[in-house]
Amino acid sequence: MGPHFPKWLQTQKNISYLYISDAGISDILPSWFWSLCRNVEHMDLARNQIRGTFPNLTLEFSYSSEQHLSSNKLEGQIPSVLLNAPYLDLSSNKLEGPIPSVLSKASYLDLSSNKFERSNTLSSIKCPISEYEVEQVGRFNPPSSIKSLISGSEFEQVGRSNPFNSIKSLISGSEFEQVGSAAIGLVFLNLSSNNVYGQVPDCWTHLENLVMLDLSYNALSGKIPTTIGSVFRIETLKLKSNRFVGQLPVSLKNCTSLVVIDVGDNKLSGPIPEWLGVSLKNLVILMLSSNHFNGSLPSQLCHLIRIQNLDFSMNNISGSIPPCLKNLTTLAQKGNSSLTSEHSYPTPSYLSRYNYPNVDDATFMWKRGVQTIRSILWLVKRIDLSSNKLTGEIPSEISHLVGLVSLNLSRNQLTGQITKEIGNLQSLDSLDLSRNHIDGRIPTSLARIDRLGFLDLSYNNLSGKIPVGTQLQGFDPSFYTGNLQLCGPPLKKMCADEVEKGPSEQTDFINQKDKDELMTLGFYITLLKRQLKDA
């Protein structure tokens, strides 16, 4: 349809639904466009290359419309023309400046991947005024939520007998209600991937309808607000890649609907809370990686029977791996689980016609590379305890987790041998046990994991011959290096029996591998022909 806005749109007078996403439009928003859309209930201009700033219009829509404007090149501040939209998606643009406080009327608000960078960005989601705050007026500096509404001279008129009523009398009714009930209908809030800095206001008690909160990839600091535990309906909490310090607030145990917690890449500390496994039994994704957590892994984590993605990597966790991990029911089941990473977030009753689906994503290390998984996240069953101070043996019970797709226990101080039952993990695509003190032989059962696409056993004390199998000989020799007593293909170091027999056995294996590949190809071609014939 692009690159310009089609001129025929100007002749349309009664548009209710406008869908022109993915249309290749790279034009600047024309001034006539907004007056055309006065009666629009649903507008979708997403994933174009629309440029420029919003016009400074005071136009109001006739309806509480949905506005999808994500993935464009819009600049400047959020315009007043969009402020009444209950659903507003402006993600992946170049917007900046303050977030207007009127946006607290929104139910679904996605401003991720823009250029908001002020410290007071979050203050636009205003905190209610408490009587305690009002009592501080005249004694100390007034709270910012009040100070922004009343001039300094007016504070001198505040009565001492009933300061709450005195303050209220100085603020217009609409302003007071705005502060007192701000953002109460907010269900979805995404401010990730901006550069918002400063502390998060500790006043989340009024956000009783909030189900998804994503503040990841900013520069927020201080402690995670205690009042976050008052958001009882929250299902997804993402605070990844900020500068939060202190411990996880105990109040979070009240949020029993939580499905996703991702607080990775912060400066959080203290022991892994036991209440994570006791109170939050609906957790599917729990990511605490790249922090300063210490102490041992509490056995209560074994109560997380729905968990699919458990990541405590790059912390200071010590002690042994609890054998009760075999109780993680979902990880102990083969194939796809009935769980998904998609949540449907209904809005408050006055917007009951809206129902907003959202698919969770997660970013983590995968085969030594950082990957962001979204649509297939619910398929990825993984445990990552790498880069800690774990000791003792790898419990044999871990072989019960037959649904695992990825297991990473690298860069610890683990000892003992690899359990002989490791071959039970037939779903494994990635296994990393590197940089530990594991000894003994590589179990022959490991060669029977056909799906294994990544293996790293380097820098341990493994010995003996690498078991012969198509998978194990196909990996780069560097994934076995640092095991001085290990021998056999793909290493150049030959085992004692190979030295006696000469290179013929290795040649026979290579030839057999080529034959197997041809046989496998032929098998699939034959199978395909049969299926086509039957069809």
Side-chain angles (χ1 to χ4, degrees), residues 97-370:
I99 300 173
S101 60
V102 186
L103 286 180
S104 60
K105 295 179 181 179
S107 179
Y108 184 109
L109 183 57
D110 191 343
L111 303 177
S112 59
S113 300
N114 277 285
K115 295 185 176 182
F116 299 109
E117 57 183 18
R118 297 191 179 187
S119 62
N120 65 344
T121 297
L122 281 171
S123 64
S124 63
I125 311 298
K126 290 184 180 294
C127 301
I129 300 175
S130 67
E131 294 200 27
Y132 170 78
E133 287 181 309
V134 177
E135 288 175 359
Q136 309 310 307
V137 178
R139 302 180 186 178
F140 307 102
N141 288 330
S144 58
S145 58
I146 303 175
K147 190 176 182 180
S148 61
L149 298 176
I150 308 177
S151 65
S153 61
E154 290 176 315
F155 273 106
E156 299 175 0
Q157 304 171 20
V158 175
R160 300 284 181 173
S161 58
N162 195 339
F164 190 76
N165 288 336
S166 299
I167 285 288
K168 189 172 182 179
S169 66
L170 295 177
I171 308 175
S172 68
S174 60
E175 288 177 321
F176 194 88
E177 290 301 321
Q178 178 182 318
V179 176
S181 61
I184 195 168
L186 197 61
V187 174
F188 181 105
L189 177 60
N190 191 345
L191 287 172
S192 63
S193 300
N194 284 283
N195 193 29
V196 182
Y197 58 92
Q199 297 190 11
V200 178
D202 194 5
C203 57
W204 294 83
T205 53
H206 62 302
L207 295 174
E208 57 188 32
N209 292 300
L210 192 65
V211 179
M212 204 293 296
L213 175 64
D214 192 348
L215 303 178
S216 304
Y217 302 102
N218 282 290
L220 297 167
S221 57
K223 294 184 177 182
I224 299 174
T226 303
T227 54
I228 194 70
S230 301
V231 188
F232 302 120
R233 298 182 184 179
I234 194 167
E235 295 180 10
T236 298
L237 176 63
K238 295 183 179 181
L239 305 176
K240 184 182 179 70
S241 294
N242 280 286
R243 300 170 186 171
F244 288 113
V245 298
Q247 300 185 18
L248 283 175
V250 179
S251 61
L252 265 182
K253 69 180 182 180
N254 299 323
C255 302
T256 55
S257 297
L258 273 167
V259 176
V260 177
I261 294 180
D262 188 352
V263 294
D265 193 16
N266 279 285
K267 299 180 180 180
L268 299 171
S269 58
I272 304 292
E274 296 178 356
W275 50 260
L276 283 172
V278 175
S279 301
L280 306 184
K281 294 183 179 179
N282 289 316
L283 280 176
V284 175
I285 297 174
L286 177 58
M287 303 184 69
L288 310 182
S289 59
S290 301
N291 280 285
H292 304 304
F293 289 109
N294 52 43
S296 59
L297 292 171
S299 60
Q300 288 82 356
L301 291 175
C302 299
H303 298 316
L304 297 174
I305 59 174
R306 293 167 59 89
I307 202 74
Q308 290 189 187
N309 200 323
L310 189 67
D311 193 340
F312 295 165
S313 61
M314 290 182 276
N315 280 287
N316 297 314
I317 302 170
S318 57
S320 59
I321 300 173
C324 65
L325 287 181
K326 67 178 182 180
N327 297 330
L328 301 178
T329 308
T330 301
L331 294 180
Q333 296 174 349
K334 286 185 178 180
N336 303 338
S337 70
S338 59
L339 304 175
T340 70
S341 57
E342 179 174 341
H343 310 291
S344 186
Y345 299 151
T347 60
S349 57
Y350 64 91
L351 292 173
S352 58
R353 68 179 183 275
Y354 295 105
N355 200 31
Y356 306 136
N358 181 68
V359 180
D360 285 316
D361 59 13
T363 302
F364 44 78
M365 290 294 296
W366 182 264
K367 300 180 182 180
R368 290 189 172 176
V370 178

Side-chain angles (χ1 to χ4, degrees), residues 86-98:
Y87 182 111
L88 182 58
D89 187 352
L90 290 168
S91 60
S92 300
N93 280 286
K94 299 179 180 181
L95 299 170
E96 55 189 356

Side-chain angles (χ1 to χ4, degrees), residues 368 418 431-436 438 442-443 446 455-462 466 472 478-483 486:
R368 290 189 172 176
I418 302 173
L431 176 63
D432 193 344
L433 304 178
S434 63
R435 297 184 185 273
N436 280 287
I438 303 169
I442 299 175
L446 188 62
L455 174 69
D456 193 347
L457 302 176
S458 62
Y459 297 101
N460 279 288
N461 299 316
L462 297 169
I466 297 174
L472 301 190
S478 63
F479 294 145
Y480 298 101
T481 193
N483 296 282
L486 206 58

